[in-house]
């Protein structure tokens, strides 16, 4: 019997590496690892809702949102099927499935579809990088700084003026020349621009006019002498998908409509007025802490709490965390890749649909009866009767006699028909 | 023209009501009638020989037989005519039994008068009949068997052994049907699967059977001899030819537990499973309702049989006949709320108990009380749950429940001799070979029988389940605790057969089972030629009867197709190019796309014409003739019926030959009495009724005209009855316009199973017309 013909054995194990909980399914011919980074997890509970076997359970989210260090989602490894629905549909890639062995191709399963990408309208400038609450955006300018092409001329004379009506605080000038300083500030959900003001230090300025040329908004006026041709603004912006939560702050601050943003879900964040009254933003900051979009704020109109709705990703973490049910989420669409025609299509369809309907169809085993297997009956050796060998020899003698008799045709005739 | 009229006594069936002497005398006075005879039994050999003799001796050239419905003996007499050397189409039958003597038993004088009218109408048509030639066509000899239960299996094997190529289509992933799930079967207490499994394997291995499981039929078109069948096969995601049936290897690694649909959820199985150990084909399948896609089964399969890329497959083939063996569905016990099924876990159905008793069932043959897991101490069976029960619209007896409860009671008693077992019954029905003896044996085993319907399953104050019932033999009400209650749930018509019935135009009885061509004489023939019904699709029956019907259906289809050639009445529409004005109305009317206007004249494709006659009724210039049902023939019948207006009100009724005529026959055979005031004219389809016929009838003195057809979505010509509906409803407007009361024209849709509805229709119409007064009495100038 070759290896392939041996019945396959499957076992499960668990391991912890830092903030990662590793759940493993190991067989003699393959391995699957479900890698759960609990620090990345926002506690939205989407995986809990879709899990086909209820292997996942939401942890103490309210406590976690208010400071407790624990995984927001707990796993009953016995129940897990390693189907990877949780991984494929996690909006923040807190779960990841790694496989080794002959498993169906990845493209036979749907994935949640989302995207933050900078398009050709990107200048680039410094706003999104500075505004990103997750530190997920890296900006790299690729044009030379002023120092490199026109070193500071001492005692130069001229004038410089910033038109604050035109300046959008994009920060390109500040990267280019040390004479500019962006005065930073804490971005707010209601006003996400990360800079307060652009300041010019005229001590550092030699009125070279190059800043006037590179400013995309034509907001700088300089009287002076141009030492050389101005550089063309260039660079690239990269988004780290592992950090990005698709909250859309970058989109909110971008003056150039350069962010292609596709959120994983569409829908509505609804604040329930009568519960808003019960909200205590002094004592509780659960939603503030848990929201991956950082969209909650205390408004000035006297209400206890308000949200910058445009930033919502409709993940529902706040709903799980709020002790007084201030908000609810009504998802209207799940963006996902196509569901291929496979034996598991119907289950995946249902999982995705349950994110809209909140009803997940699961196998109903409530009537199933459990009956213990009958134990094998104990085998008791049977005692044989004693056999008298001498006696049996005598029996054999007699039989031989009879056998001789029936071989005689005359006797046989009598045996068949006549009288003995 | 020399017409011979034969009046049949049908023993006393006709002669007891109708005055044969008077009728004989009157008919004898009719013009062109050369010979009148009344005969004890026309259908007897004597009657038939008499006919042949008379034809030869008296130069008779056409024959009218006044007897029973033409559905019974028209072909018999056609054959006789052929023997006697005259064209078989020169025959007319006056139905004086179903339409007269059996339905007017208490009005003998009028019945005699009506019988004379019916004969007059027949003679009028007979005079105009033309000799026709029978059409022969090639028939496909293959047979489709729908359903792989015991009836379908028997039909398929019988046919295949006789050399017929059979297509079997089964919707479940295995054949075997309900019988494959049973534990033991009465009255022998044989192991059900042990006797069935060899037959299941035979089906798979038979070179003449093409078996398709996990498949459904999506379309059947065509007609007898040439049905085209289309369907789809669901993907199993397991290659049947590779799977070795070693099911443990894949299902052990499958992480998805599901309720086993074959155990009604009492047991668990995996998303990849085999329905039953003896499944045919012996192949696993992935239940795509539950699979999550973990991919482990594919790795575990030693035969590399799993293919996640399999897709739904379409198939198509042609056959000459179809055997419908779609089985039944169990009554949903939840509907009888008083018995607490699905509320109390210890209330089971008989089928569920069957699974518990079964060694390959969820408990491996142990009967346990679900809530405790213990063996039962006190078991009650409640009979007639969902049978003989008007409150759930199932007035019929399900025939098998008494026996199966007794059998299961025996099984429990055998395995747990200390258990106290009681059967609560209304009547024990043990009619069958060795059944009564079985009943006695059950009683002798110490099983209790209590007569009386159980009122309720309830909990006593201690939470113990108890039955509240009346013992009608003791005339006392009792409350008795039980730890296991088994509901003998009845047999219901399977809803999965609905689409099949629709595709084949089959009709259903009031009990929702498929109706058969004659409730006594043609137990496996459907109303549709070339379609046969076997097993529980046509009503509850035990395994023996289903097997017998499977064989019978096989024999009937062999009889039909054995020659590979079928005969067809030459009734296709014919267009007179002289009269045709090329208006294209008929082209638009034909529901079968059989008429095309070519070079300004309508042309009929004779082979595909279904002969409904709707085109003829639509033609403004009467250019389309239906042979054997010409306008002239029908008008002559109308005139003959109204030549003497012998009663008021008088109704001319047009009945379609499929359902409505059948309903009138059924009223007759069921002896449902209704007023004599109706004269029936048979047409192929309600769509054949030309507005002109209605006008002619009213003009000649009919007080009302009735047009009946099949129920609206059950027309045998797809939409012929709808054509009639449009035509007649518009004609009503016309009547209203010209001052006649439109209520004089009535439309009714009646299935062949609704004899009572037909009688009621006549009764109501007579009442209405009596109130309206004679035709014309409503005209303003008359009223002045």
């Amino acid at each position: 019997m070759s290896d392939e013909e041996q019945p396959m054995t499957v076992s499960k194990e668990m391991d912890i590496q830092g903030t990662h909980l590793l759940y493993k399914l190991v067989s003699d011919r393959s391995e699957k690892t479900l890698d759960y980074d609990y620090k990345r997890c926002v506690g939205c509970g989407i995986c809990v809702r879709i899990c086909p076997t209820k292997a996942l359970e939401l942890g103490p989210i309210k406590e976690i949102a208010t400071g407790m260090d624990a995984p927001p989602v707990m796993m009953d490894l016995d129940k897990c099927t390693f189907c990877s629905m949780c991984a494929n549909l996690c909006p923040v890639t807190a779960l990841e499935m790694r496989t080794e062995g002959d498993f169906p191709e990845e493209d036979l399963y749907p994935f949640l579809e989302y995207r933050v990408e900078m398009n050709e309208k990107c200048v680039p400038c410094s706003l999104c990088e500075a505004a990103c609450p997750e530190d997920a955006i890296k900006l790299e300018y690729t044009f030379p700084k002023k120092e490199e092409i026109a070193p500071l001329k001492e005692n130069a004379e001229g004038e410089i003026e910033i038109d604050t009506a035109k300046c959008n605080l994009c920060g390109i000038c500040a990267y280019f020349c040390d004479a500019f300083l962006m005065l930073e500030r804490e971005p707010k959900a209601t006003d996400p621009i990360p800079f307060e003001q652009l300041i010019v230090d005229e001590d550092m300025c030699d009125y070279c006019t190059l800043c006037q040329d590179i400013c995309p908004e034509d907001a700088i006026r300089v009287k002076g002498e141009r030492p050389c041709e101005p550089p063309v603004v260039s660079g690239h912006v990269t988004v780290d998908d592992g950090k990005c939560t698709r909250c859309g702050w970058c989109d909110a601050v971008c003056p150039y409509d350069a962010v292609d943003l596709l959120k994983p879900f569409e829908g509505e964040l609804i604040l329930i007025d009568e519960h808003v009254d019960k909200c205590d933003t002094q004592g509780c900051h659960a939603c503030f802490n848990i929201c991956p979009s950082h969209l909650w704020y205390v408004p000035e109109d006297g209400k206890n709490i308000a949200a910058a709705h445009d930033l919502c990703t409709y993940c529902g973490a706040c709903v799980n965390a709020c002790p007084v049910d201030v908000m609810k989420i009504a998802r209207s669409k799940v963006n996902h890749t196509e569901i291929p025609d496979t034996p598991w299509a119907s289950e995946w369809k249902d999982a995705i649909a349950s994110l809209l309907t909140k009803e997940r169809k699961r196998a109903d085993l409530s009537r199933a009866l459990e009956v213990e297997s009958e134990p094998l009956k104990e085998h008791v050796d049977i005692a044989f009767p004693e056999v008298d060998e001498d006696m049996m020899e005598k029996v054999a003698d007699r039989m031989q006699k009879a056998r001789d008799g029936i071989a005689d045709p005359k006797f046989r005739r009598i045996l068949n028909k006549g009288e003995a | 023209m020399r017409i011979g009229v034969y009046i049949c006594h049908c023993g006393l069936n006709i002669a007891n009501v109708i005055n044969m002497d008077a009728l004989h005398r009157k008919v004898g006075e009719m013009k062109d009638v050369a010979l009148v005879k009344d005969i004890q039994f026309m259908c007897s050999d004597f009657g038939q020989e008499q006919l042949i003799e008379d034809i030869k001796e008296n130069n008779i050239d056409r024959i009218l037989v006044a007897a029973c419905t033409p559905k019974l003996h028209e072909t018999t007499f056609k054959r006789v005519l052929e023997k006697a050397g005259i064209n078989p189409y020169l025959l007319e039958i006056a139905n004086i039994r179903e339409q007269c003597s059996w339905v007017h038993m208490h009005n003998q004088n009028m019945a005699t008068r009506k019988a004379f009218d019916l004969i007059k109408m027949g003679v009028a048509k007979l005079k105009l009949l033309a000799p026709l030639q029978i059409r022969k066509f090639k028939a496909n000899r293959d047979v489709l068997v729908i359903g792989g239960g015991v009836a379908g299996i028997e039909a398929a094997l019988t046919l295949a052994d006789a050399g017929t190529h059979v297509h079997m289509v089964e919707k479940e992933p295995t054949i075997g049907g309900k019988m494959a799930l049973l534990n033991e079967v009465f009255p022998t207490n044989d192991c059900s699967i042990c006797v069935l499994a060899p037959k299941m394997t035979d089906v798979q291995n038979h070179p003449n059977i093409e078996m398709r499981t996990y498949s459904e039929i999506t379309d059947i078109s065509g007609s007898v001899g040439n049905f085209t069948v289309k369907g789809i096969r669901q993907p199993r995601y397991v290659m049947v030819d590779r799977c070795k049936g070693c099911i443990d290897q894949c299902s052990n690694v499958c992480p998805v537990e599901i309720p086993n649909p074959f155990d009604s959820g009492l047991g668990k199985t995996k998303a990849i499973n085999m329905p039953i150990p003896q499944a045919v084909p012996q192949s696993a399948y992935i239940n795509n309702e539950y699979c999550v896609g973990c991919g482990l089964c594919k790795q575990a399969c030693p035969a590399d049989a799993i293919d996640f890329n399999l897709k739904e497959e379409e198939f198509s083939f042609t056959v000459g006949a179809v055997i419908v063996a779609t089985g039944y569905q169990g009554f949903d016990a939840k509907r009888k709320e008083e018995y607490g099924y699905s509320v109390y876990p210890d209330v089971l159905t008989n089928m569920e108990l069957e699974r518990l008793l079964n060694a390959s069932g969820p408990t491996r043959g142990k009967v346990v009380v679900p809530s405790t897991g213990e063996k039962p101490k006190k078991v009650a069976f409640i009979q007639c749950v969902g049978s003989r029960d008007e409150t759930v619209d199932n007035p019929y007896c399900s025939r098998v429940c008494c026996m199966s409860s007794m059998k299961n009671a025996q099984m429990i008693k055998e395995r747990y001799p200390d258990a106290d077992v009681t059967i609560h019954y209304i009547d024990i029905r043990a009619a069958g070979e060795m059944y009564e003896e079985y009943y006695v044996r059950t009683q002798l085993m110490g099983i209790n029988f209590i007569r009386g319907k159980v009122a309720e399953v309830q909990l006593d104050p201690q939470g113990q389940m108890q039955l509240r019932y009346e013992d009608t033999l003791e005339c006392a009400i009792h409350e008795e605790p039980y730890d296991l209650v088994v509901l003998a749930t009845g047999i219901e018509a399977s809803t999965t057969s609905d689409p099949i019935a629709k595709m084949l135009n089959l009709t259903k009885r009031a009990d929702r089972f498929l109706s058969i061509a004659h409730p006594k004489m043609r137990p496996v023939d459907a109303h549709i030629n070339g379609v046969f019904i076997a097993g529980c699709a046509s009503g509850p029956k035990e395994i023996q009867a289903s097997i017998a019907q499977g064989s019978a259906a096989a024999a009937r289809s062999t009889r039909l197709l054995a020659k590979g050639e079928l005969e067809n009445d030459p009734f296709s529409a014919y267009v007179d190019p002289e009269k045709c004005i090329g208006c294209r109305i008929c082209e638009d009317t034909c529901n079968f796309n059989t008429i095309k206007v070519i070079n300004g004249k309508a042309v009929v494709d004779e082979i595909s014409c279904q002969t409904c006659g709707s085109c003829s009724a639509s033609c403004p210039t009467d250019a389309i003739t239906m042979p054997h049902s010409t306008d002239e023939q029908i008008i002559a019948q109308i005139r003959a019926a109204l030549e003497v207006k012998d009663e008021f009100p008088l109704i001319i009724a047009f009945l379609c030959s499929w359902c409505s005529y059948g309903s009138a026959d059924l009223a007759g055979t069921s002896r449902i009495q209704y007023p004599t005031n109706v004269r029936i004219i048979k047409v192929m389809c309600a769509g054949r009724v030309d507005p002109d016929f209605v006008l002619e009838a009213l003009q000649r003195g009919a007080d009302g005209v009735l047009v009946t057809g099949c129920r609206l979505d059950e027309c045998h010509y797809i939409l012929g009855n709808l054509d009639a509906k449009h035509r007649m409803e518009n004609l009503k407007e016309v009547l209203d316009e010209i001052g006649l009361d439109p209520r004089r024209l009535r439309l009714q849709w009646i299935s062949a199973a609704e004899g009572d509805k037909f009688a009621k229709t006549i009764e109501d119409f007579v009442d209405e017309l009596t109130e309206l007064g004679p035709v014309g009495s409503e005209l303003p100038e008359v009223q002045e």
Side-chain angles (χ1 to χ4, degrees), chain A residues 30 32 109 348 369-370 374, chain B residues 266 268 292-294 299 366:
Chain A
S30 63
K32 272 188 178 182
Y109 302 86
W348 284 72
L369 299 169
E370 303 279 355
E374 292 265 329
Chain B
L266 289 179
K268 290 179 194 169
V292 296
C294 75
Q299 291 176 12
K366 269 190 188 173

Side-chain angles (χ1 to χ4, degrees), chain B residues 497-647:
Chain B
S497 69
D498 287 353
I500 304 283
K502 190 122 197 132
M503 289 170 217
L504 287 168
N505 257 323
L506 305 180
T507 52
K508 289 190 204 164
R509 289 193 303 262
D511 61 12
R512 305 181 300 282
F513 289 96
L514 298 176
S515 58
I516 43 177
H518 188 283
K520 191 150 204 85
M521 299 310 293
R522 297 174 67 188
V524 298
D525 296 2
H527 285 280
I528 303 296
N529 204 2
V531 180
F532 305 93
I533 308 172
C536 287
S538 60
K541 49 188 66 81
E542 62 270 57
I543 291 164
Q544 298 88 308
S546 291
I547 291 176
Q549 289 207 336
S551 300
R556 295 289 290 166
S557 51
T558 304
R559 168 194 161 273
L560 180 76
L561 302 174
K563 280 190 265 173
E565 191 180 65
L566 287 171
E567 291 182 347
N568 201 350
D569 285 325
F571 295 165
S572 310
Y574 165 75
V575 181
D576 180 350
E578 295 287 307
K579 288 188 183 171
C580 178
I581 53 168
C583 69
R584 289 180 183 267
I585 293 178
C586 53
E587 199 182 75
D588 200 40
T589 301
C590 180
N591 292 314
F592 303 94
N593 293 322
T594 295
I595 307 186
K596 289 272 166 299
V597 173
I598 301 168
N599 297 332
K601 300 286 174 192
V603 177
V604 179
D605 171 12
E606 277 182 42
I607 300 297
S608 53
C609 174
Q610 304 286 308
T611 76
C612 66
S614 193
C615 57
S616 176
S618 75
C619 179
T621 60
D622 291 337
I624 305 179
T625 302
M626 303 310 298
H628 219 62
S629 179
T630 65
D631 287 7
E632 293 74 22
Q633 289 162 8
I634 293 171
I635 298 271
Q637 281 176 286
I638 297 169
R639 289 181 183 166
L642 299 166
E643 190 187 20
V644 177
K645 185 168 175 179
D646 43 22
E647 56 184 326

Side-chain angles (χ1 to χ4, degrees), chain A residues 107-174:
Chain A
D107 59 8
L108 289 175
Y109 302 86
F111 281 85
L112 212 53
E113 213 172 14
Y114 45 74
R115 171 169 73 239
V116 173
E117 278 165 13
M118 306 309 159
N119 61 29
E120 73 290 345
K121 294 181 198 158
C122 180
V123 173
C125 76
S126 308
L127 277 168
C128 56
E129 183 189 40
C132 176
E134 298 298 331
D135 222 7
I137 299 179
K138 279 284 156 281
L139 160 70
E140 199 189 332
Y141 286 117
T142 50
F143 67 98
K145 291 190 173 204
K146 178 200 183 271
E147 263 310 301
E148 296 162 26
I149 55 173
L152 183 70
K153 266 193 247 161
E154 297 291 333
N155 306 321
E157 283 193 11
E159 279 175 36
I160 182 162
E161 194 188 354
I162 292 160
D163 183 345
T164 51
K166 283 186 177 169
C167 174
N168 62 17
L169 301 171
C170 76
I172 293 174
C173 53

Side-chain angles (χ1 to χ4, degrees), chain B residues 142-295:
Chain B
D142 296 356
V143 175
L144 162 66
V145 176
I146 308 175
V150 66
I153 287 175
E154 190 66 25
L157 288 175
T158 309
L159 283 167
D161 284 347
T164 302
H165 187 78
V166 179
H167 293 269
M168 176 183 274
V169 177
E170 164 61 48
K171 72 173 175 355
E172 299 291 349
T174 175
I175 60 167
K178 298 277 195 297
M179 185 178 171
L181 304 178
L182 301 179
N183 178 45
E184 269 97 7
V185 286
F186 61 80
T188 50
N189 290 4
D190 271 307
C191 157
S192 185
I193 194 70
C194 308
V195 290
L196 182 65
K199 283 175 179 283
M200 291 162 63
T201 325
D202 282 354
V203 168
Q204 185 177 29
N205 296 334
H206 206 297
N208 282 340
I209 300 180
E210 248 177 272
M211 178 183 84
R212 290 181 176 85
T213 52
Y214 218 26
S215 299
E216 273 174 79
I217 289 168
T218 53
D219 187 50
I220 304 176
S221 56
S223 54
V224 59
N226 288 296
F227 290 103
T228 300
V229 181
K230 287 182 186 156
I232 47 170
R233 191 204 301 256
Q234 304 292 331
R236 297 174 87 101
Y237 306 106
V238 177
M239 288 175 270
V240 174
D241 46 351
R242 285 200 192 176
C243 178
K244 293 175 179 157
C246 60
I247 194 67
D248 280 352
Q249 306 245 354
C250 54
S251 78
N252 278 353
V253 299
C254 175
V256 182
E257 282 191 324
I258 67 169
N260 191 341
F262 293 87
D263 291 336
S264 60
L266 289 179
K268 290 179 194 169
T269 185
K270 294 293 187 68
I272 183 164
N273 70 76
M274 202 147 74
I276 49 171
Q278 301 83 353
V280 168
Q282 272 282 301
S283 163
Y285 79 108
I286 295 178
N287 184 326
N288 62 7
E289 195 183 341
Y290 293 107
C291 171
V292 296
C294 75

Side-chain angles (χ1 to χ4, degrees), chain B residues 5-9 14 23 42 64-68 92-96 115 119:
Chain B
V5 177
Y6 287 81
I7 310 173
C8 177
H9 287 225
I14 295 173
L23 188 62
M42 262 319 286
L64 181 125
V65 179
C68 55
E92 182 62 18
I93 294 189
N95 182 354
I96 60 167
I119 292 173

Side-chain angles (χ1 to χ4, degrees), chain A residues 5 7-8 10 25 27 29-30 32 52 81 83 85 102-104 109 341-344 346-348 361 363-365 367-374, chain B residues 237 249 253 255 257-259 264-266 268 286 288-296 298-300 302 308 311 341 348 352 356 363-364 366 368 370:
Chain A
E5 281 163 344
M8 187 165 113
V10 180
L25 176 82
S27 83
R29 50 202 84 159
S30 63
K32 272 188 178 182
T81 64
C83 65
M85 277 185 203
D102 178 23
F103 287 104
Y109 302 86
D341 182 7
T342 55
W344 49 84
S346 138
E347 256 294 324
W348 284 72
K361 172 190 70 90
D364 176 12
L365 294 166
R367 293 193 75 212
L369 299 169
E370 303 279 355
V371 179
E372 278 180 33
S373 296
E374 292 265 329
Chain B
Y237 306 106
Q249 306 245 354
V253 299
E257 282 191 324
I258 67 169
S264 60
L266 289 179
K268 290 179 194 169
I286 295 178
N288 62 7
E289 195 183 341
Y290 293 107
C291 171
V292 296
C294 75
L296 288 177
K298 189 172 186 323
Q299 291 176 12
F308 298 132
K311 303 277 183 273
Y341 179 79
L348 299 177
E352 288 167 356
L356 296 192
T363 54
R364 291 180 292 279
K366 269 190 188 173
V368 295

